[in-house]
Amino acid sequence: MDKHYLTPLFAPRSIIVLAQAKEASQAQTAYAQALHDVLCAQRFSGTLTFLDPQFTGTLSDLDQVKADLAIIALPQDEQLAALELVGRMGCPTAMILSHGVEAAHARQLHLAAVHAGVYLLGPNSLGIQRPSLQLNAGLTGPLAKDGSLALVSQSGALTASILDWAAGNGVGFSSVISLGPHTSMGLPEALDFLANDGRTQSIVVYMEGIQNARKFMSALRSAAIAKPVVVLKAGRRPASSAAALTHSAAIVGSDDVFDAVLRRAGAVRVRSFVGLFSAAKCLASRYRPANKRLAIIANGGGPGVLAADWASEIDLELGSLSPEAVATLAPQLPARASLTDLIDITEAAQPEHYRLAVEAALADPCIGGLLVMFSPRPGVDGAAVAEAVAEIKRRAAKPLLTCWMGDSSVEAGRAALRKAVIPTFRTPEAAVGAFGNIASFTQNQQLLQQTPPPLSALAKPDIAGARLVIETVLAERRNVLTEMESKTLLAAFHIPVTRTLLARNAHEAMMIATQQGFPVALKIDSPDIAHKSDVGGVALNLHNGEAVRNAFNDMMQRVKRIKPEARINGITVQNMARSRRGREICIGLVSDDPFGPVITFGAGGTMIELIQDRAMELPPLNQFLARRLMERSRVFDTLGEWRGASPVNMEALEQVLLRVSEMVCALPQLREMDINPLIVDETGAVAVDARMVVAEQGHNQLGQGKYGHLAILPYPARYEQLWPMRDGGEYLVRPIRPDDAQMLQNMVKSLSPQSRYFRFVSQLAELPPAMLARFTLIDYDREMALVAVQQERVVDEEGEIHVKERLLGVSRYVTNPDRSTCEFALVVADDMAGQGLGSRLMLSIMEVARDKGLEQIEGLVLSNNPNMLKLMRRLGFEIRPFPDDPEFRLVVHPL
């Protein structure tokens, strides 16, 4: 069970090849011969069996052949029969090498594979490579060099091009996986295998599309927890130019959403072919920048300025030495050296000067990373400078990149840098872009660590009331809410709104305005008018009753003339927002195909589509994610002190974002939303106008359950339960969180060697960092881990009370590939044995699995672990022999 279910496909020990058709055409014979040649060009480490080209019997005569992987390279009319044979052989995996297969036939193959119990790669795949096994099972070119980088590509042609480029640049691969359209097994499955593959240290992905957003997001997040993932995506689509019902929908394109998806998944996106590998090369280093400040050391102003310009272009900051470091370093450099911004050590700089400057920059805590540049100079040995940098690299604790500009005269220096495994680039832009990728990875990993609940800790919203408003709108066969209905939903979630009343005629409008107090604003109220300003449907700053009456009549006449078919409910009357220096913000919601709801933040007002200020994030949000969302917008710079205006109330703005996140989680019918403008100043925030679009639930489902409309499941707080301890006190059973990592490590360290062996079947004394991250940062869609936590109040020396937490035990399950069963694991602190904690954790995790719709839970227990076997019997598990290893027992319980 420890072996990944796709290991027989991507790391097979035995292969059978079905490539010769019954009535083979000349093209088919050539195809089979080409496959034979690439498979035999090197000595595969396992066993390889070919169907004899002169074979005159039927495929069923091969019924007794056993293999991990069956490679099928047959015409379409023979592929189904071949799959059936593979199933009868008991072969767990198959790969169909083909191209141009239409969706209907691909669907037939998928169903046949499921029926046969076979995991299928293909059709429309050009195969796989596993260089460590000397396996080239496909038609993507010669076998790649062995390495630690995995490649997954949805384009066969590009796969071949990438491998050709990599061969000339010394890039090696742990695995190469070619996918295509309509493949039975796609990106999620490939990522899942590579995340667990010990030979893979980083993953590069070329992708063109996805079939299942929830599965893709789950697998990508799981992979990015374990190792760096770099993505190059083709087909960037701008925002639609078609009419949209909200401003947010009009300015957000699917490519913007994909950026947000990769950020939240902890992956890095690159925009070029070469960038794919430079990013992977840099991320393979264990060093990560503490900030976005890049120090640039150069032996000339021009190259350094080019690098600084590109750093500014991609939103990096220039790292400068501290005054203390400058004072120490300056006397040791050439007289004309400049240390103000760039570290320009002049064209006279020798290897020793480089060494001193690099050491100073690496020691400065304000600098996140370092780019060392060299331009050929008479009397300066570039190779010696590279050797000096290589020597320092052994002591570097932050990213160190280099750029040796030129060609033949600097080749020896580049060779020395490559030998020292220091990323080196030919141009300043490429080098700075590579640091940008590392910085993005670090920031995105912080986003990946966030596990917000569906509801914040703020006052409970009126979800039932909000749903009644939406149900009424849908019952009237409408999709667009009026301004008053939209504000009612906002108010139900405690988002401040301006008091708004509907007037049916000019007299009513005048009376309402007089009672509310002047000045007031009038706005047309119609379900058929998306943008009020476009039809003259807004009048502002009306200071008396006569002005209100005249504005009402003029607005009615104007709107009926411009939009005669529009249904008009009346005109709303509301007070003008009184803040003179408030900032106008737009907070919105768009529904993306395929990733579902996305929250947007940017500058508001009537020119929103011209300004095009949009930052976005996938729900759910917490305070950290809300603040990062705001920081990515251009309008964020105006929220502090701005041209005499006081800083806005950031806490109030964050709370509005958290409330919008609650709305998105609790109301799956929401499709689009604009809160525009939201006026925010030092006193708070108020929604002046709002517009929402709803639709029947189910059209946007990405998965099952209450939050099936979300690409990322919220933290499942509903599984939290308090339980009494037998000797007094209580403990909390709750889903695991990333910040539990240190508590989990402490518990593992405190276990006896026997307990650790029983749980991990290993003598490890503590969890390696990658395993610790994988155990604590989980995808709640595919797995669950429950921890039992005991809280103790401790008084320190100063009399302050602190809550100290201790982790007592963990139960977890991971859903099996069949999506109907799961595998569990359990560990309890030694001093808690016999307290009933193991039973409680098992019963709780079984209840979660049952709630997820799983049908059976199973696990492996060592035969010499009597206490665990006794617990399993007491809980009603069936204990069976495990045929693959007699040292284990398979324990099974239906759910």
Side-chain angles (χ1 to χ4, degrees):
M1 283 180 151
D2 290 336
K3 186 173 71 172
H4 194 275
Y5 72 99
L6 290 178
T7 298
L9 172 59
F10 296 122
R13 292 172 297 180
S14 53
I15 299 174
I16 182 172
V17 183
L18 308 176
Q20 184 66 42
K22 294 177 184 177
E23 298 178 2
S25 65
Q26 186 174 356
Q28 174 63 31
T29 302
Y31 190 82
Q33 186 60 48
L35 177 60
H36 179 277
D37 291 345
V38 297
L39 281 166
C40 296
Q42 54 284 312
R43 187 176 181 84
F44 171 50
S45 62
T47 60
L48 190 60
T49 305
F50 286 88
L51 173 64
D52 188 344
Q54 304 302 318
F55 182 68
T56 57
T58 64
L59 289 175
S60 61
D61 292 335
L62 296 174
D63 226 3
Q64 302 304 314
V65 179
K66 301 296 181 185
D68 286 338
L69 169 64
I71 301 176
I72 302 171
L74 297 170
Q76 288 191 25
D77 58 355
E78 296 187 36
Q79 291 170 355
L80 284 170
L83 265 180
E84 292 174 6
L85 170 65
V86 169
R88 291 201 306 271
M89 291 164 48
C91 187
T93 66
M95 178 169 60
I96 296 180
L97 299 180
S98 61
H99 57 87
V101 176
E102 298 296 331
H105 183 64
R107 177 66 178 165
Q108 285 183 308
L109 292 171
H110 172 71
L111 293 175
V114 171
H115 183 263
V118 173
Y119 295 113
L120 174 64
L121 174 61
N124 296 321
S125 169
L126 291 188
I128 63 170
Q129 291 191 13
R130 187 73 169 180
S132 64
L133 299 180
Q134 291 291 290
L135 174 61
N136 185 2
L139 301 174
T140 55
L143 182 65
K145 176 185 174 183
D146 189 19
S148 60
L149 182 65
L151 167 66
V152 185
S153 173
Q154 288 185 324
S155 166
L158 197 63
T159 303
S161 301
I162 289 173
L163 293 180
D164 188 51
W165 178 91
N169 286 271
V171 177
F173 296 92
S174 60
S175 287
V176 177
I177 303 173
S178 168
L179 305 170
H182 316 308
T183 52
S184 180
M185 194 199 75
L187 270 176
E189 292 83 2
L191 287 171
D192 192 70
F193 168 79
L194 295 171
N196 294 278
D197 179 29
R199 300 196 67 86
T200 298
Q201 293 183 9
S202 50
I203 304 168
V204 296
V205 178
Y206 170 79
M207 62 179 295
E208 297 174 348
I210 62 171
Q211 296 174 316
N212 186 309
R214 174 69 72 78
K215 282 181 66 177
F216 170 75
M217 196 67 177
S218 175
L220 181 60
R221 285 165 61 84
S222 180
I225 292 166
K227 53 200 68 173
V229 180
V230 184
V231 178
L232 173 63
K233 179 182 178 294
R236 304 176 198 169
R237 180 171 67 83
S240 172
S241 59
L245 296 175
T246 61
H247 293 289
S248 298
I251 65 173
V252 174
S254 62
D255 205 56
D256 301 310
V257 176
F258 190 76
D259 278 341
V261 166
L262 290 189
R263 275 196 304 269
R264 190 66 176 275
V268 172
R269 184 177 187 181
V270 295
R271 307 282 176 168
S272 69
F273 178 84
V274 175
L276 195 66
F277 293 96
S278 65
K281 178 170 57 177
C282 294
L283 289 170
S285 163
R286 69 180 186 276
Y287 302 119
R288 303 287 180 258
N291 53 57
K292 296 171 64 176
R293 289 188 285 274
L294 175 66
I296 300 171
I297 297 175
N299 62 341
V305 171
L306 285 176
D309 286 347
W310 192 246
S312 176
E313 183 72 19
I314 62 175
D315 295 325
L316 295 175
E317 300 174 28
L318 204 58
S320 302
L321 292 171
S322 65
E324 296 79 11
V326 170
T328 303
L329 179 62
Q332 305 178 70
L333 297 179
R336 292 186 298 107
S338 172
L339 306 179
T340 307
D341 290 314
L342 294 172
I343 304 175
D344 180 2
I345 55 179
T346 77
E347 65 275 6
Q350 296 295 321
E352 178 63 13
H353 298 130
Y354 268 94
R355 183 186 67 79
L356 292 168
V358 171
E359 286 180 341
L362 290 174
D364 195 317
C366 295
I367 291 173
L370 180 59
L371 170 60
V372 182
M373 304 183 66
F374 175 80
S375 300
R377 303 288 183 180
V380 182
D381 186 351
V385 172
E387 292 287 356
V389 173
E391 175 62 30
I392 300 169
K393 186 255 182 184
R394 299 184 180 93
R395 305 188 297 276
K398 58 183 70 171
L400 172 62
L401 294 82
T402 60
C403 176
W404 257 231
M405 299 182 69
D407 195 15
S408 57
S409 64
V410 296
E411 188 52 45
R414 287 185 186 139
L417 294 167
R418 285 193 293 267
K419 183 179 179 181
V421 199
I422 298 176
T424 185
F425 301 88
R426 293 175 178 268
T427 66
E429 294 82 1
V432 172
F435 179 79
N437 289 328
I438 303 174
S440 294
F441 175 78
T442 303
Q443 290 181 315
N444 295 353
Q445 286 285 303
Q446 292 177 338
L447 300 182
L448 175 61
Q449 296 277 335
Q450 306 305 309
T451 54
L455 295 178
S456 67
L458 303 173
K460 187 176 179 180
D462 182 9
I463 297 175
R467 287 173 178 163
L468 284 174
V469 173
I470 293 175
E471 289 168 6
T472 301
V473 171
L474 293 175
E476 295 175 2
R477 299 184 181 277
R478 290 191 289 125
N479 296 104
V480 181
L481 277 65
T482 65
E483 180 185 351
M484 291 188 66
E485 289 168 335
S486 298
K487 286 184 173 178
T488 300
L489 258 63
L490 296 180
F493 282 80
H494 305 293
I495 296 175
V497 298
T498 52
R499 186 163 181 252
T500 303
L501 296 174
L502 181 67
R504 307 285 182 178
N505 54 56
H507 184 68
E508 283 185 7
M510 187 174 62
M511 290 192 298
I512 292 170
T514 303
Q515 293 176 34
Q516 290 194 167
F518 297 100
V520 297
L522 302 187
K523 299 177 185 177
I524 198 72
D525 188 86
S526 168
D528 302 318
I529 297 175
H531 307 306
K532 305 178 186 71
S533 299
D534 294 351
V535 296
V538 179
L540 305 176
N541 283 309
L542 304 175
H543 288 271
N544 55 60
E546 183 180 6
V548 169
R549 184 190 63 190
N550 294 339
F552 186 101
N553 292 328
D554 291 344
M555 186 181 296
M556 278 292 194
Q557 293 174 9
R558 185 166 54 248
V559 172
K560 288 179 179 178
R561 184 180 70 252
I562 297 174
K563 199 91 170 176
E565 75 282 3
R567 294 167 292 172
I568 299 176
N569 299 325
I571 292 178
T572 61
V573 183
Q574 58 189 265
N575 289 109
M576 291 290 299
R578 296 187 180 276
S579 176
R580 293 189 305 140
R581 301 304 302 272
R583 283 56 146 197
E584 291 189 341
I585 302 296
C586 178
I587 294 177
L589 167 72
V590 297
S591 291
D592 178 74
D593 182 13
F595 291 105
V598 182
I599 297 171
T600 65
F601 180 92
T606 57
M607 301 181 70
I608 176 175
E609 289 165 7
L610 179 64
I611 297 172
Q612 291 276 309
D613 181 21
R614 56 178 185 269
M616 59 193 65
E617 187 60 81
L618 271 66
L621 302 181
N622 59 14
Q623 189 174 7
F624 178 88
L625 292 169
R627 177 57 67 98
R628 292 296 177 270
L629 172 59
M630 292 190 291
E631 290 173 353
R632 288 197 298 272
S633 68
R634 295 203 299 273
V635 76
F636 181 78
D637 291 337
T638 72
L639 301 182
E641 290 188 13
W642 181 256
R643 296 186 176 180
S646 300
V648 306
N649 187 329
M650 296 296 289
E651 183 180 354
L653 200 49
E654 287 174 0
Q655 287 188 8
V656 173
L657 281 169
L658 294 178
R659 291 300 194 183
V660 169
S661 174
E662 291 180 344
M663 292 179 69
V664 175
C665 292
L667 304 174
Q669 300 93 336
L670 277 179
R671 294 296 185 273
E672 296 177 22
M673 174 170 60
D674 272 345
I675 306 175
N676 180 36
L678 178 82
I679 305 294
V680 58
D681 61 13
E682 66 274 14
T683 64
V686 61
V688 175
D689 202 353
R691 187 172 183 82
M692 299 183 190
V693 179
V694 296
E696 292 289 351
Q697 186 177 353
H699 295 183
N700 64 335
Q701 290 294 100
L702 305 180
Q704 301 297 319
K706 183 178 181 180
Y707 302 110
H709 60 296
L710 301 178
I712 301 174
L713 285 186
Y715 176 78
R718 65 187 184 278
Y719 295 131
E720 293 182 348
Q721 286 184 301
L722 274 173
W723 293 95
M725 302 184 73
R726 290 182 178 176
D727 56 355
E730 59 186 14
Y731 60 90
L732 175 67
V733 173
R734 60 165 172 79
I736 201 166
R737 300 192 300 249
D739 54 7
D740 293 327
Q742 190 57 54
M743 282 201 301
L744 177 60
Q745 186 72 283
N746 292 340
M747 190 192 78
V748 171
K749 288 181 178 179
S750 71
L751 294 173
S752 67
Q754 184 185 55
S755 295
R756 282 198 295 267
Y757 185 80
F758 282 161
R759 168 59 182 92
F760 302 106
V761 197
S762 168
Q763 299 294 342
L764 56 79
E766 62 180 35
L767 297 176
M771 184 181 293
L772 188 62
R774 193 165 70 247
F775 280 173
T776 53
L777 181 53
I778 67 172
D779 189 304
Y780 301 116
D781 189 34
R782 62 163 63 192
E783 58 187 310
M784 181 59 69
L786 298 178
V787 293
V789 178
Q790 184 181 32
Q791 294 184 337
E792 180 183 359
R793 294 183 181 275
V794 179
V795 181
D796 63 17
E797 296 178 354
E798 299 178 358
E800 295 187 6
I801 299 176
H802 302 274
V803 176
K804 182 180 179 181
E805 290 190 323
R806 180 195 170 203
L807 200 149
L808 307 177
V810 186
S811 62
R812 68 176 64 239
Y813 76 74
V814 177
T815 305
N816 289 326
D818 60 15
R819 306 296 293 179
S820 64
T821 65
C822 61
E823 182 181 354
F824 79 89
L826 173 70
V827 62
V828 174
D830 288 340
D831 62 334
M832 296 302 297
Q835 299 289 319
L837 184 62
S839 297
R840 172 44 49 201
L841 284 170
M842 280 303 304
L843 290 171
S844 296
I845 201 70
M846 290 166 67
E847 187 60 36
V848 174
R850 192 176 293 114
D851 185 52
K852 289 284 188 177
L854 298 174
E855 299 172 4
Q856 180 174 284
I857 188 167
E858 56 191 32
L860 288 178
V861 180
L862 281 165
S863 303
N864 60 344
N865 188 352
N867 291 334
M868 186 65 169
L869 291 172
K870 181 180 178 181
L871 173 62
M872 293 296 102
R873 290 190 184 94
R874 191 165 66 244
L875 293 175
F877 278 75
E878 180 186 351
I879 299 178
R880 307 171 182 171
F882 184 57
D884 292 351
D885 191 336
E887 292 188 7
F888 288 90
R889 293 292 181 266
L890 178 64
V891 296
V892 179
H893 196 296
L895 296 171

